[in-house]
Amino acid sequence: MNNSIEQLANYMHTAKYIVFFGGAGVSTESGIPDFRSQDGLYNTKWKDPPETVLSRTYFNRKPESFFMFYREKIIHENARPNESHKALAKLEEMGKLKAVITQNIDGLHQMAGSKNVLELHGSILKNHCVKCHKFYPLEKISSSKSIPYCDCGGIIKPDVVLYEEALDQEVIEKTIMHVRRADLLIIGGTSLTVYPAAAFVRECKGKIAIINRDTTYMDAYADIVINDKIGETLKHAMEIMDKINHTNPNR
């Protein structure tokens, strides 16, 4: 067994305020492509660059093209939670994990059972009319053949943060609060290149564990760095922690 995973399990066992900060790598194990890898979204073939399509300007000017791309590349209705989502939900159920902070918009953390999820970039599961603000479920977007319209005639916009849009200030404040309170911050599935979200982890005063296939700018500051699959790593760490709890329940 990897010594770093054993160390992570021990940290998780003794921690009282765990916070998880995750990125696209958490969802790739559920079959959702990331953004920057060789097979990622930003290397996909489309008539306009994905960074352009996923901007507020493009949404306003070319909504039909936006939704064509959005339905084909962003929505993954068949995706299901993987081992990382399940492990985090169990940690929260145990009372150890206080918040999941995610850059993902797929809603898989909630599907796995996590309750306190802060979605920095919004969610595909929430959609509102730009005129009357009426709520619509994902099915309204995914089942539309072209531009989804509200009963009032307004366009229904997904509650995802597009380029040129600001992050929700309340979500930012809660994120920073939890990171500052954490005695263990687990960073998983992100190379920490997306700002300003990636800068929030610098607020942590507790231990830091990073689980990511590639290096990150925070590796030098971390107590543990594990370059492996996040689902498998968290699953093994949970198994070790369960053994510790069973052997030394009062430890």
Side-chain angles (χ1 to χ4, degrees), residues 84-209:
S84 58
H85 299 107
K86 296 172 184 176
L88 293 168
K90 184 177 179 181
L91 268 178
E92 183 180 15
E93 185 180 346
M94 294 168 64
K96 284 185 167 291
L97 183 69
K98 304 303 180 183
V100 169
I101 302 163
T102 180
Q103 295 172 289
N104 298 330
I105 60 175
D106 47 52
L108 292 181
H109 285 292
Q110 292 92 327
M111 191 182 295
S114 291
K115 307 296 184 195
N116 192 16
V117 181
L118 297 174
E119 296 169 309
L120 288 168
H121 297 150
S123 172
I124 63 171
L125 303 180
K126 303 171 186 175
N127 308 273
H128 287 85
C129 171
V130 297
K131 287 178 63 177
C132 73
H133 307 295
K134 181 180 178 180
F135 171 83
Y136 286 90
L138 175 62
E139 290 73 24
K140 180 67 176 180
I141 305 292
S142 60
S143 63
S144 298
K145 300 302 180 183
S146 184
I147 304 170
Y149 286 103
C150 175
D151 297 334
C152 76
I155 296 177
I156 302 169
K157 179 186 177 296
D159 287 0
V160 298
V161 179
L162 303 176
Y163 287 103
E164 303 168 350
E165 293 183 327
L167 303 184
D168 184 279
Q169 188 59 38
E170 183 179 353
V171 175
I172 290 175
E173 292 173 358
K174 288 181 178 179
T175 293
I176 294 174
M177 177 199 73
H178 283 297
V179 171
R180 285 176 175 171
R181 290 181 178 178
D183 55 5
L184 174 60
L185 175 65
I186 302 175
I187 301 171
T190 173
S191 55
L192 297 173
T193 57
V194 178
Y195 283 80
F200 299 151
V201 299
R202 306 261 341 224
E203 298 289 331
C204 181
K205 301 297 188 291
K207 289 183 173 63
I208 296 176

Side-chain angles (χ1 to χ4, degrees):
M1 186 66 69
N2 188 310
N3 289 335
S4 294
I5 298 180
E6 291 183 3
Q7 187 179 6
L8 174 61
N10 277 286
Y11 281 171
M12 290 162 55
H13 174 68
T14 57
K16 299 185 183 304
Y17 204 112
I18 302 175
V19 173
F20 179 81
F21 184 96
V26 176
S27 295
T28 54
E29 293 175 38
S30 291
I32 298 178
D34 61 11
F35 287 79
R36 292 172 176 77
S37 69
Q38 184 176 352
D39 300 320
L41 185 65
Y42 288 172
N43 290 314
T44 190
K45 292 182 179 179
W46 201 262
K47 64 178 181 177
D48 294 311
E51 301 96 316
T52 301
V53 178
L54 295 173
S55 69
R56 185 57 189 256
T57 296
Y58 196 94
F59 173 85
N60 292 338
R61 292 178 179 175
K62 300 181 179 181
E64 187 170 0
S65 296
F66 171 88
F67 281 106
M68 186 182 302
F69 179 90
Y70 186 81
R71 278 189 290 269
E72 182 173 328
K73 300 295 184 180
I74 303 299
I75 297 176
H76 300 274
E77 289 187 284
N78 293 325
R80 293 295 179 267
N82 58 56
E83 294 296 341
S84 58
H85 299 107
K86 296 172 184 176
L88 293 168
K90 184 177 179 181
L91 268 178
E92 183 180 15
E93 185 180 346
M94 294 168 64
K96 284 185 167 291
L97 183 69
K98 304 303 180 183
V100 169
I101 302 163
T102 180
Q103 295 172 289
N104 298 330
I105 60 175
D106 47 52
L108 292 181
H109 285 292
Q110 292 92 327
M111 191 182 295
S114 291
K115 307 296 184 195
N116 192 16
V117 181
L118 297 174
E119 296 169 309
L120 288 168
H121 297 150
S123 172
I124 63 171
L125 303 180
K126 303 171 186 175
N127 308 273
H128 287 85
C129 171
V130 297
K131 287 178 63 177
C132 73
H133 307 295
K134 181 180 178 180
F135 171 83
Y136 286 90
L138 175 62
E139 290 73 24
K140 180 67 176 180
I141 305 292
S142 60
S143 63
S144 298
K145 300 302 180 183
S146 184
I147 304 170
Y149 286 103
C150 175
D151 297 334
C152 76
I155 296 177
I156 302 169
K157 179 186 177 296
D159 287 0
V160 298
V161 179
L162 303 176
Y163 287 103
E164 303 168 350
E165 293 183 327
L167 303 184
D168 184 279
Q169 188 59 38
E170 183 179 353
V171 175
I172 290 175
E173 292 173 358
K174 288 181 178 179
T175 293
I176 294 174
M177 177 199 73
H178 283 297
V179 171
R180 285 176 175 171
R181 290 181 178 178
D183 55 5
L184 174 60
L185 175 65
I186 302 175
I187 301 171
T190 173
S191 55
L192 297 173
T193 57
V194 178
Y195 283 80
F200 299 151
V201 299
R202 306 261 341 224
E203 298 289 331
C204 181
K205 301 297 188 291
K207 289 183 173 63
I208 296 176
I210 298 178
I211 311 167
N212 196 54
R213 290 183 303 177
D214 305 314
T215 60
T216 79
Y217 83 92
M218 283 292 292
D219 285 4
Y221 303 93
D223 297 275
I224 311 171
V225 176
I226 301 174
N227 297 127
D228 207 341
K229 293 181 178 180
I230 183 169
E232 188 174 309
T233 298
L234 285 178
K235 179 182 179 182
H236 288 167
M238 291 293 291
E239 290 171 350
I240 296 171
M241 192 175 70
D242 285 343
K243 290 179 181 177
I244 295 172
N245 289 335
H246 181 73
T247 306
N248 304 298
N250 297 318
R251 179 180 167 183

